[in-house]
Amino acid sequence: MDRSRLLASVKRIQLVASRLVENLLAGDYRSVFRGPGMEFDEVREYVEGDDARLIDWNVSSRMDAPYTKTFREERELTLALVVDVSASLFSGPSHRTRREVVVELFALLSLAAIVNNDRVGAVLFSDRIESWVAPRKGKRHALRLITDLVGVEPRGVGSDLALALRTTGEALKRRGVVVVLSDFKTSGYLADLTLMGRRHDVIAIRVTDPVDRAFPVTGLIRLDDPETRRTVAAAGYSARFRASYEAYREQQRKTWLAECRKRNIGTLDVSTDQDPAAQLIRYFEHRKAQ
Amino acid sequence: MLVFERPALLLLLLAVPGLVYLRHFWRGRGGTFSFPFGVWGGKGFVPPTTAASVFVAVAAASFWVGLIVLLVAFAGPQRVTRERSFLTRGVDIVFVLDQSPTMAARDFLPGNRFEAARGVIRRFVSLRENDPVGIVGFGLEASLRVPPTIDYEHFLAVLDTMEVFEMGDGTAIGMGIATAALHLERSNAPRRAIILLTDGVNNAGEIQPETAARAVRSLGINLYIIGIGSDGEVEIEIRDPETGRLLRGTIRESYDQEAMLEIADIAGGRFFYAGSSGALQAAFDAIDTIERVEQRSLLRVVRQPLDQLLIFWGVGLIGIDFLIRRLFVREVV
Amino acid sequence: MTVESPRVLMGFLILVPVIALQVRAFLKGRSEIALLGAIWSHDTTVRLYTVKWFFSSFVFDVFLVFAVLAAADVTWGERPVEEDRSGLDVVIALDVSHSMLARDIEPSRLERAVGVVRAMTRQLPAARTALVAFKGAAVTVTPLTEDGNSLEVVLDGVGPGLVSAPGTNIEQGLSEALRTLPEASFAHRAIVLLSDGEALGGDVDGPIAELRRRGIPVMTVMTGTTAGSTIPTSDGTPVLDRDGRPAISRADPLTLERIATRTGGAFFDVASPDLVAELSGSLSRFAVIRGREGFRLVPRRRYRLFLGVAIVALLASSAVRVVRWRGIV
């Protein structure tokens, strides 16, 4: 993609995303990611009605009066976006719509964070870390992130989610929000996901296509997997083949869902035939209600 | 033997493995649709074995075998046979076979005299290459069934159709010899022979055996007389060709050895007594040894092209591939 | 240019179902790839798919056309092959079908034919002769023999009764004639075919190809007139056709002329005044000329040219599918 087309594309995405964020998403975002994170503020004299559990006995004994610790809610969040740019989502023109959905979700989330004066960082990964941008504030930074993602030409084809999670975990010093954008057609990431879930607030967004649920009725068609480079002859006309494919996909989805729930990780399925913004808003409202 | 007109073209076959690789294994090959069905680092989706898998394998195999067949056809395959053709004339031999009812006597087990005679004639002919053979059958009268020919296939076919009793109840030995002599008369073969097989006494025909024997001698034809049959009572079983009735009985009749010897003597030929299958075979072996001439022949190479056949097969196999892909599995692209 | 196996050209007919299947596959495939979602419904992809389909299908059809031409065995030009023979073997293939009883030739087609054979064999005393009679099937009446007497004898008894199978199958007659000519013979070989040409079955292309390969000429004699006549039965009334009218049998020179020209023989009309002299003359001339030259000319086969194009087309058709176009399909 040449530079002018890239910029135009980013501009368009940014415009659409900004409007959506300002009108709908910003409030939800804040209310969902308020989090239990409390930051120690100061110690002051105990007054009637304060929580007795919060009395700081060390200070109290020295001062001969009851002192209590005060906390303020951590208002400033760090959002880390872990984005799968592997071939199954990003390579070739064949996966354009999957890619579009990822970009749109990315733009929405990063702009929502900026509007709320949060810091945003991004890890783009394939079978390696394609790029890592440390969390910072500001609109210019967000635009840079979006430009990076839109213009990325992944060097790797696979998707090593475990590596990406490990890198993100090492880079985030304080507790933050981690959003994983991937199709989760990868393996071996569960241990790192557990670690990540203990330290951070994690949301897994799975980007899929209708053909990831059911195979269309077609003649024999040779498919090659862009990541594993395996080829199979798909007998789309065979009911047995389609049933087997559908069962496989459904089982994949269920496993993913169960593993995330077990680790208390939020899950969102976004299909390319759905509006990503609407899905995101619905998800936030659902989280808020809980 | 298989030879090729342009064997160098067979080297094209060496390209086939490369083509198979490009078509089925090369990573960069087209005709495939990028579609993420796999799981990175995992097993991914494994399609079930359907009839399609079998069809696809059969189609691919047909295509490549078809291509190989066409490439072989391209090299100009020919079946080469060597035909011996003779520059010289062989011996003319005419059998004179007795078809009188007594030839049905069953003293040449497992069959009768006639079948035993037919068997030794067949064997005799099968050992000949360029010697024209003919046959005269006789009963009440005589007739030429096959003129001297090297078309052994035809000779044997006619021999198989000959039956006892079809020439009537009688033994016209003189007529038999004379008929054979007539058809050898104008032959310019270096040797001519008449082999008479009979079990009876001349009792029919306008020509006496002695007269015929003299004619044979004057023509320079060798006459061999083989007397078939054993002494004593013999069981006989015969179907009357006119009424179709099966006749059975015993006979006690034999050929007149004195008369036979005399005929052989007149003709300057030889007489063999064949009371058993072994003796009959021995007589034929003896004649086979005598009636041989040296022959000159040359080997001619006959080439039969096989390309048309192979093209049919090749196109057929590629047609199978086409049909499977277009009709059964409806391949996209 | 000659097509040695013209019947194979019927193979062009398979192009009709092949093209129909190709078009069907294209129409279905075009709508099906869109179902895979995303780019596959894009205009560019559909255009690529169309171009790819067109080339691969067209080139496959080219393959079929040239493979059929190769199998049909097209020849032009001639090349000599050594032919070291002397003497003459002649097989007489005599049509004994019922139509040969027609009286448009006096006294009847068959009797005239028998007369021609008799006269001809007297002119060729050194030749070995065989007689094959054919109707719906063929039988060897006399195998190849030097014994002229036996031919004389059997000619007396020649008639439709010799062969039981009804009809007129020249193919059978020629095949049986070929069989009676042993490959082992050192003599030059020729066939004389006497028939009214009214073939009711069989395909003479097979025997013609074999005759050409072995260099055996066929002299054909049309016994009958193109005007034709009725066919008398034993009681004198004519044979009737399906509508109950007397059936007219007309001699047909086309097949006979074709057999003669394709095999390097000659065509004769039984009515021509010098028939026997011309016929036996052409037979002995053929043997003399061949014997003097020591070679004969055989057609130069060109199938390799066509087969080469066919193989290249087949590989091209396959290659169109193998080569990935613009990194997409």
Side-chain angles (χ1 to χ4, degrees), chain B residues 226-276:
Chain B
I226 299 172
I228 288 190
S230 52
D231 293 330
E233 277 197 357
V234 186
E235 196 183 309
I236 185 165
E237 188 179 291
I238 189 165
R239 195 174 288 279
D240 189 312
E242 272 162 38
T243 61
R245 277 221 322 271
L246 196 67
L247 308 170
R248 269 172 214 262
T250 52
I251 52 159
R252 196 191 168 79
E253 183 199 355
S254 185
Y255 51 88
D256 183 347
Q257 197 167 331
E258 289 302 315
M260 295 293 165
L261 279 167
E262 195 194 328
I263 298 165
D265 194 45
I266 295 169
R270 285 183 62 180
F271 171 76
F272 297 90
Y273 163 76
S276 66

Side-chain angles (χ1 to χ4, degrees), chain B residues 88-92 187-192 220 222 293-295:
Chain B
T88 47
R89 251 330 234 99
V91 187
D92 275 8
S187 161
N188 54 7
R191 284 184 80 95
R192 289 170 292 172
N222 305 325
V293 286
E294 203 177 306
Q295 305 230 20

Side-chain angles (χ1 to χ4, degrees), chain C residues 12-312:
Chain C
F12 284 136
L13 287 180
I14 59 169
L15 279 173
V16 175
V18 162
I19 290 175
L21 278 174
Q22 284 170 337
V23 170
R24 188 186 87 135
F26 167 68
L27 296 175
K28 280 201 168 261
R30 192 178 53 177
S31 56
E32 281 173 359
I33 50 170
L35 297 177
L36 288 181
I39 188 67
W40 301 127
S41 54
H42 204 275
D43 281 354
T44 321
T45 323
V46 173
R47 206 160 45 238
L48 273 182
Y49 176 74
T50 308
V51 172
K52 220 172 163 160
W53 168 82
F54 180 78
F55 273 112
S56 119
S57 302
F58 175 74
V59 178
F60 187 79
D61 298 341
V62 169
F63 156 72
L64 283 179
V65 167
F66 276 82
V68 167
L69 285 176
D73 199 2
V74 179
T75 60
W76 63 84
E78 284 173 324
R79 71 187 168 90
V81 288
E82 201 187 334
E83 181 91 336
D84 180 15
R85 293 176 183 277
S86 71
L88 181 62
D89 288 348
V90 179
V91 185
I92 296 144
L94 180 59
D95 187 346
V96 293
S97 63
H98 278 282
S99 63
M100 288 293 281
L101 299 179
R103 298 247 164 92
D104 50 352
I105 301 286
E106 286 301 320
S108 80
R109 292 176 183 175
L110 187 61
E111 280 173 59
R112 178 73 77 88
V114 168
V116 169
V117 171
R118 238 187 258 280
M120 182 193 79
T121 46
R122 278 194 208 112
Q123 301 272 324
L124 300 165
R128 282 196 293 193
T129 49
L131 178 66
V132 168
F134 68 95
K135 248 165 84 177
V139 291
T140 301
V141 183
T142 324
L144 202 62
T145 181
E146 277 175 16
D147 175 18
N149 289 339
S150 57
L151 187 65
E152 290 277 343
V153 172
V154 294
L155 278 175
D156 292 338
V158 161
L162 269 178
V163 185
S164 53
T168 310
N169 191 328
I170 297 178
E171 179 194 2
Q172 293 277 321
L174 287 178
S175 300
E176 181 66 13
L178 262 169
R179 191 204 63 74
T180 61
L181 284 171
E183 197 70 52
S185 166
F186 187 68
H188 294 287
R189 296 162 298 175
I191 293 173
V192 177
L193 173 69
L194 299 107
S195 170
D196 53 19
E198 260 198 322
L200 302 175
D203 170 30
V204 292
D205 286 331
I208 285 178
E210 180 68 7
L211 288 160
R212 279 171 71 86
R213 202 173 62 72
R214 287 163 66 170
I216 300 173
V218 181
M219 314 293 170
T220 56
V221 180
M222 181 175 77
T223 48
T225 59
T226 45
S229 79
T230 57
I231 306 162
T233 53
S234 49
D235 57 3
T237 57
V239 174
L240 303 178
D241 64 12
R242 238 178 291 162
D243 303 329
R245 285 187 294 264
I248 305 286
S249 163
R250 291 184 178 84
D252 175 14
L254 282 179
T255 312
L256 298 176
E257 275 172 343
R258 191 154 72 90
I259 295 168
T261 40
R262 295 294 305 285
T263 57
F267 170 80
F268 301 92
D269 189 329
V270 79
S272 99
D274 292 325
L275 174 69
V276 174
E278 282 174 22
L279 184 58
S280 40
S282 68
L283 281 170
S284 33
R285 257 199 318 279
F286 145 75
V288 167
I289 291 171
R290 277 246 180 114
R292 194 170 54 215
E293 287 173 344
F295 67 86
R296 65 185 163 99
L297 292 173
V298 293
R300 204 180 274 277
R301 307 184 62 219
R302 308 286 177 170
Y303 84 95
R304 198 177 281 112
L305 200 67
F306 295 96
L307 187 57
V309 175
I311 291 173
V312 168

Side-chain angles (χ1 to χ4, degrees), chain B residues 83-106:
Chain B
E83 293 277 355
R84 181 189 294 275
S85 60
F86 289 89
L87 303 163
T88 47
R89 251 330 234 99
V91 187
D92 275 8
I93 299 163
V94 175
F95 297 95
V96 179
L97 184 56
D98 192 343
Q99 286 176 284
S100 65
T102 49
M103 284 293 279
R106 303 175 62 83

